[in-house]
Amino acid sequence: MESAPSVGNSNTPGARIVGGEDATSGQYPYVVSLTFCVGNSCQHACGGALISPSWIASAGLCITQMPSQGSYKAIAGITNLDDSNEERQERRISHAFLVPDFDGGAGPHDLAIFKTTTPFVYNSLIQAVRLVTAGSIYSGDAQLLGWGSTGGAVSPIMPNTLQTSTVPILTYDQCKNALDSLFNSHPLDESANTCTGPLTGAVSACTGDMGGPLVQNNILMGVVSWIITPCGTVGAPSIQTRVAYYRNWIVSMEKNNTALKLKIGAPNPDSRIVGGWDAQRGEFTSIVSLQYCILTICQHSCGGSIISPSWILTAAHCITEVPAIGSYSVLAGVLDLDDNIVERQLVRVSQYLVHADYAGGVGPHDIALFRLASPLIFNQYVQPVSIPLEGAEFSGQTELAGWGSTGGIILPQMPNRLQTVTIPIVPVQECDNALSSLLQSAHPLDLDANICTGPLTGGTSACSGDSGGPLYKDGQVVGIVSWGVTPCGTTGAPSVYVKTSHYINWIRQNVDEPLIY
């Protein structure tokens, strides 16, 4: 889900509707999954609420932030996305209306209604929700519903089971004051938006919840619009479109027989790192995929750099932001993550070393070392990278590589093939000024310990899944992907890295093998 510009690690943290719990079958019979399909491949993209047999209320972003080709289908009668019960029904989406004043990004008027090709048939698990009365004033607690990320790991973890959480409705002043404390400017609209807390953090909407319903006594009060990342940030509200402001518009559109054809579709096959391109085999022999594993199931989580046979350099939050129940392995020698070439090596991580000054989350000293259970065997596709001299400074063009999200749509799009892009170093004071203009005056950039890249014109950046990966200059790893501003590639937003040359002594003190300079 796209969000207002905010600080976040270069992986997309999520939440179980941060702090929610599993819904039970039939508890919310009006909730639907809007599933986006390219060919025969489909995945949950947004939530929605059935408001009549053929109409679904959701977010405008679920149209404007999707690619230009493809199709939506709506799934009703389920709590678990894999449910195959007799009551489950799927309908293709044929048309949609956007609120005319919606500008397509994070802001007010973020509402759409979708029309199905054929009506849903009501049964014990499929029913319409009631709409709130026009002009109603909101207060008390409400239920937030969705299949959004349950978080707790570096990359989003999308649940199969519908999540629900009881959250307090905030007054406009409470919400505005909270946002004012986080941002210099924001798009909150008193008439068009409603907000939920708690401002103590740990409960919020997250990736995949967009368009999902906010209900009170099974009355539709709002649809999830935009969020602050990381999800569940202390002091950050969740923002919904206020249905009471649009009730008359919704009713009139349902009766209108001239619905606009819905134009959504397939991902752009040329989109990369955000603005990059496919790497070539053997181009980056020192990069590894850090595979986070629970039992025998492993997935790419972070990047890393080989600095000696048994040691990997990466970001500290790649350790602190994943659950303790799993483990890491290092995948080396591959270009595509499913490469089965003879040079491919998968080695278990036996030890983690996090810099003592790292405080967790987004901030300085975000550097760590992984020790492997057995050393890598160097070959033409597996080689160590050079590290810079202590205190070295760099400028000019650099190369970024990683398997992070290619961005550009609601959910992170994780490429199978390694991506790369050439990007300029931004002087650290210029980086500081750029972040200050986008965020609150206090932000976690460290002028000594961080390095930044542009371009500040937007369109190119590190993104979800690139964390811990290398920034190269003249064959040396000069930076470690740490954090950035979301959405990835935001105009005026730099990407922020650990400045490797600031930590050379720390690396030397902990690595018991020769290093290359």
Side-chain angles (χ1 to χ4, degrees):
M1 152 181 200
E2 299 290 348
S3 62
S6 59
V7 174
N9 288 118
S10 293
N11 300 70
T12 309
R16 175 199 293 266
I17 277 187
V18 183
E21 58 188 21
D22 289 353
T24 59
S25 180
Q27 187 176 4
Y28 302 103
Y30 41 79
V31 181
V32 299
S33 167
L34 290 172
T35 299
F36 188 74
C37 301
V38 178
N40 294 323
S41 177
C42 300
Q43 68 171 350
H44 170 81
C46 283
L50 192 64
I51 57 175
S52 73
S54 297
W55 290 92
I56 295 161
S58 188
L61 284 167
C62 295
I63 299 174
T64 62
Q65 295 300 310
M66 294 304 287
S68 58
Q69 296 178 359
S71 63
Y72 261 127
K73 65 179 178 181
I75 305 175
I78 59 171
T79 300
N80 188 292
L81 294 174
D82 291 333
D83 277 350
S84 56
N85 61 66
E86 294 180 356
E87 287 77 15
R88 175 190 174 111
Q89 297 176 31
E90 297 185 6
R91 299 290 187 269
R92 188 168 61 85
I93 299 296
S94 59
H95 302 80
F97 287 110
L98 282 171
V99 171
D101 293 332
F102 180 53
D103 68 5
H109 316 302
D110 180 15
L111 181 68
I113 55 173
F114 292 71
K115 190 175 190 298
T116 60
T117 52
T118 56
F120 283 104
V121 178
Y122 292 161
N123 58 40
S124 61
L125 298 183
I126 302 177
Q127 296 289 326
V129 69
R130 290 184 293 159
L131 296 178
V132 66
T133 303
S136 294
I137 305 300
Y138 298 178
S139 62
D141 288 340
Q143 285 70 50
L144 188 63
L145 309 170
W147 283 276
S149 173
T150 57
V154 178
S155 296
I157 299 175
M158 311 305 291
N160 269 345
T161 301
L162 180 67
Q163 302 295 299
T164 177
S165 182
T166 298
V167 292
I169 295 173
L170 304 178
T171 66
Y172 171 75
D173 286 342
Q174 286 175 319
C175 189
K176 180 179 183 300
N177 290 340
L179 291 172
D180 286 344
S181 71
L182 293 170
F183 300 97
N184 292 328
S185 63
H186 53 77
L188 186 71
D189 186 290
E190 183 172 10
S191 300
N193 290 125
T194 191
C195 305
T196 57
L199 298 179
T200 53
V203 178
S204 77
C206 200
T207 306
D209 287 321
M210 183 161 51
L214 178 75
V215 298
Q216 189 178 62
N217 299 320
N218 290 316
I219 297 172
L220 183 64
M221 314 293 282
V223 299
V224 175
S225 179
W226 50 277
I227 60 172
I228 311 301
T229 56
C231 309
T233 294
V234 173
S238 296
I239 295 84
Q240 295 89 23
T241 300
R242 186 169 170 263
V243 172
Y245 185 70
Y246 297 100
R247 188 186 194 282
N248 293 337
W249 176 85
I250 293 172
V251 172
S252 69
M253 291 299 102
E254 283 185 276
K255 296 177 180 177
N256 192 317
N257 293 319
T258 59
L260 301 175
K261 184 68 186 278
L262 180 61
K263 297 180 179 180
I264 49 180
N268 177 356
D270 295 323
S271 63
R272 304 290 185 253
I273 266 184
V274 180
W277 51 82
D278 286 353
Q280 300 303 307
R281 189 170 299 284
E283 186 177 6
F284 301 103
T285 56
S286 62
I287 194 169
V288 298
S289 166
L290 298 180
Q291 299 269 313
Y292 182 73
C293 305
I294 298 179
L295 299 177
T296 59
I297 305 299
C298 299
Q299 67 173 359
H300 171 80
S301 181
C302 280
S305 297
I306 304 167
I307 58 173
S308 74
S310 300
W311 290 93
I312 305 297
L313 184 66
T314 188
H317 77 263
C318 294
I319 300 172
T320 62
E321 302 302 312
V322 298
I325 59 172
S327 63
Y328 263 121
S329 290
V330 163
L331 178 61
V334 300
L335 183 63
D336 290 353
L337 292 175
D338 58 4
D339 274 347
N340 197 29
I341 61 176
V342 294
E343 293 84 1
R344 170 189 174 104
Q345 298 176 51
L346 183 66
V347 182
R348 184 175 58 84
V349 173
S350 62
Q351 183 183 6
Y352 314 114
L353 296 176
V354 173
H355 196 282
D357 293 332
Y358 177 60
V362 177
H365 314 300
D366 184 14
I367 185 171
L369 291 164
F370 283 17
R371 183 169 194 158
L372 303 181
S374 59
L376 293 166
I377 300 171
F378 293 158
N379 57 47
Q380 61 179 325
Y381 298 135
V382 180
Q383 291 289 325
V385 69
S386 299
I387 59 175
L389 297 175
E390 179 75 19
E393 298 291 340
F394 297 93
S395 62
Q397 296 295 316
T398 62
E399 292 178 289
L400 173 67
W403 287 275
S405 174
T406 56
I409 62 172
I410 297 165
L411 297 177
Q413 295 297 294
M414 310 306 288
N416 201 45
R417 189 182 180 96
L418 182 67
Q419 303 294 300
T420 183
V421 70
T422 300
I423 46 180
I425 290 177
V426 174
V428 69
Q429 190 57 61
E430 184 180 349
C431 181
D432 183 59
N433 294 340
L435 290 168
S436 295
S437 71
L438 285 172
L439 309 171
Q440 61 186 46
S441 56
H443 55 73
L445 183 73
D446 187 303
L447 300 184
D448 296 320
N450 288 128
I451 188 172
C452 303
T453 63
L456 297 182
T457 52
T460 303
S461 74
C463 201
S464 307
D466 287 320
S467 281
L471 181 72
Y472 298 106
K473 173 73 175 176
D474 300 329
Q476 298 178 313
V477 57
V478 300
I480 302 165
V481 179
S482 181
W483 58 274
V485 172
T486 57
C488 306
T490 294
T491 300
S495 296
V496 182
Y497 309 76
V498 172
K499 184 179 178 182
T500 312
S501 64
H502 188 74
Y503 296 94
I504 298 303
N505 287 337
W506 178 81
I507 294 171
R508 272 191 287 210
Q509 289 166 7
N510 289 289
V511 174
D512 55 3
E513 295 176 331
L515 300 168
I516 301 174
Y517 295 90

